[in-house]
Amino acid sequence: MRMINNLVGLVGGTPLYEITSYPLREGIRLFAKLEFMNVGGSIKDRLGFYLLQQAFENKKINKGDTIIEATAGNTGIGLALAAIHYQLEVIFVTPKKFSIEKQTLMKALGAKVINTPTELGMKEAIKVAEEMEQRIPHSYIPNQFANDWNPDTYYHTLGPEVWNDVDGQIDIFVAGAGSGGTFTGTARYLKEQNPLIKTMIVEPEGSILSGGKQKPHKTEGIGMEFLPDFIDEHLFDEIYTIPDEQAFLRLKEVAKQEGLLVGSSSGAALEASLQVAHKAKAGTNIVTVFPDSSERYLSTGIYDN
Ligand SMILES: Cc1ncc(COP(=O)(O)O)c(C=O)c1O
């Protein structure tokens, strides 16, 4: 009998799935880490548990304290799950534009959700969270955008998993960046194992990584308004800037062709990976990440034409 009796056992250890429906040249293989298989449905469950575990171990919080965080939703769901495990209260500040499903799920897990105006972006949500921390006793902001434990999460979890899943046979890693934690931690781990591994970062059009001007985009979960201090640009072997239309086209394709119901950041990661594959030499193994599922975006018309 295989029994799991706490939430920690339902985070990580996700399948690495080979994408086979696209014709790739000469033994090039493409794999995706299926992060929607985490208990809260996204890659951010890893972050929620790691951040709060570290906060306890480093005596920043105690049982019963209040966690406050600015989040687009998936981090909130991950933190809300971890807060159940560690017996904490949670309040999230979320710009209004983010999907209603994610906000509903955060509330279902016991969180209070406060909305900030869409047009003021994540910066305003962070400001409001900081003001609340001043007012609420025994409160703590993990602040995924300025916390080295964010990339550390993936350095200690996703990085080793990817490496072990392919027995070290990886040539190129491709991942989207919202805070940049996933990319930074995983890329650092992989390059430490083998400095020849190339690590490609993915952003939507409207994100600032490749010097473009910040503007709104529909691809949800990735895209940077500023560069957190933990970002190490030496890890950017290439930057892929993917228009929304391409990301949404790919997520529809991958549903029909592979049976994978993934969100738009996965669509962008797939498009970038296919561009990488197009240029790669024979026998290259490419690994990417599908951060979450399309089911939390149905209200946004994710599958509409
Ligand atoms: C759907 C989705 N994809 C990708 C990411 C990117 O993760 P990171 O913040 O580690 O860059 C996020 C982050 O919230 C996300 O929600």
Side-chain angles (χ1 to χ4, degrees):
M1 187 160 63
R2 183 173 170 265
M3 284 274 294
I4 294 172
N5 70 358
N6 77 64
L7 288 169
V8 177
L10 298 176
V11 178
T14 53
L16 185 75
Y17 190 80
E18 183 165 8
I19 305 292
T20 54
S21 65
Y22 292 88
L24 303 177
R25 285 178 304 116
E26 301 162 36
I28 295 173
R29 299 176 76 183
L30 171 58
F31 303 88
K33 198 73 171 147
L34 303 185
E35 289 297 304
F36 57 82
M37 303 286 280
N38 284 295
V39 62
S42 93
I43 192 162
K44 293 289 183 167
D45 292 353
R46 297 176 186 272
L47 180 68
F49 279 85
Y50 191 86
L51 289 178
L52 297 191
Q53 182 208 333
Q54 290 299 314
F56 264 109
E57 285 177 9
N58 288 276
K59 312 229 176 312
K60 298 210 180 277
I61 53 172
N62 293 298
K63 225 186 243 183
D65 286 358
T66 301
I67 305 301
I68 306 171
E69 182 76 346
T71 165
N74 282 338
T75 300
I77 293 166
L79 280 169
L81 282 163
I84 290 171
H85 181 75
Y86 288 110
Q87 298 176 26
L88 300 158
E89 304 293 319
V90 271
I91 303 175
F92 297 125
V93 188
T94 303
K96 205 168 171 15
K97 70 171 175 182
F98 291 115
S99 97
I100 195 71
E101 287 89 334
K102 287 198 268 193
Q103 301 194 39
T104 303
L105 294 176
M106 290 192 279
K107 289 179 200 160
L109 294 169
K112 197 181 275 177
V113 178
I114 291 166
N115 283 132
T116 49
T118 294
E119 62 281 8
L120 299 182
M122 214 58 200
K123 280 187 191 156
E124 172 68 8
I126 293 169
K127 201 176 107 203
V128 170
E130 284 168 354
E131 286 163 6
M132 291 181 72
E133 190 196 25
Q134 297 299 318
R135 286 202 314 272
I136 300 175
H138 303 291
S139 61
Y140 170 71
I141 301 184
N143 194 358
Q144 61 167 329
F145 294 99
N147 190 337
D148 288 345
W149 294 337
N150 176 353
D152 288 356
T153 301
Y154 302 96
Y155 181 89
H156 292 293
T157 66
L158 192 65
E161 278 182 36
V162 165
W163 178 255
N164 292 327
D165 286 344
V166 293
D167 295 325
Q169 301 301 302
I170 167 174
D171 303 292
I172 304 178
F173 176 70
V174 180
S179 68
T182 304
F183 174 82
T184 303
T186 311
R188 184 180 301 141
Y189 179 87
L190 292 173
K191 281 183 186 286
E192 278 176 18
Q193 310 315 304
N194 176 0
L196 297 177
I197 295 173
K198 297 285 179 218
T199 55
M200 317 305 206
I201 190 164
V202 183
E203 61 169 4
E205 249 176 28
S207 160
I208 59 156
L209 277 184
S210 57
K213 260 193 80 146
Q214 191 203 321
K215 65 175 169 63
H217 49 81
K218 292 210 175 85
T219 306
E220 196 164 321
I222 56 171
M224 299 182 113
E225 295 174 24
F226 57 91
L227 282 191
D229 286 344
F230 58 68
I231 293 290
D232 175 0
E233 294 183 60
H234 294 107
L235 297 171
F236 300 179
D237 287 313
E238 286 176 23
I239 301 169
Y240 286 81
T241 306
I242 307 298
D244 286 336
E245 302 72 50
Q246 286 305 108
F248 281 78
L249 189 91
R250 292 302 187 194
L251 77 84
K252 286 173 197 151
E253 257 175 25
V254 83
K256 293 213 169 74
Q257 293 179 196
E258 298 274 347
L260 297 177
L261 301 169
V262 295
S264 50
S265 69
S266 306
L270 175 59
E271 169 61 18
S273 299
L274 291 170
Q275 290 183 21
V276 167
H278 192 69
K279 295 188 289 187
K281 62 178 196 299
T284 299
N285 280 342
I286 303 164
V287 176
T288 192
V289 181
F290 287 172
D292 70 357
S293 144
S294 58
E295 288 188 43
R296 57 190 45 176
Y297 306 101
L298 293 178
S299 70
T300 67
I302 190 169
Y303 288 119
D304 297 350
N305 289 318

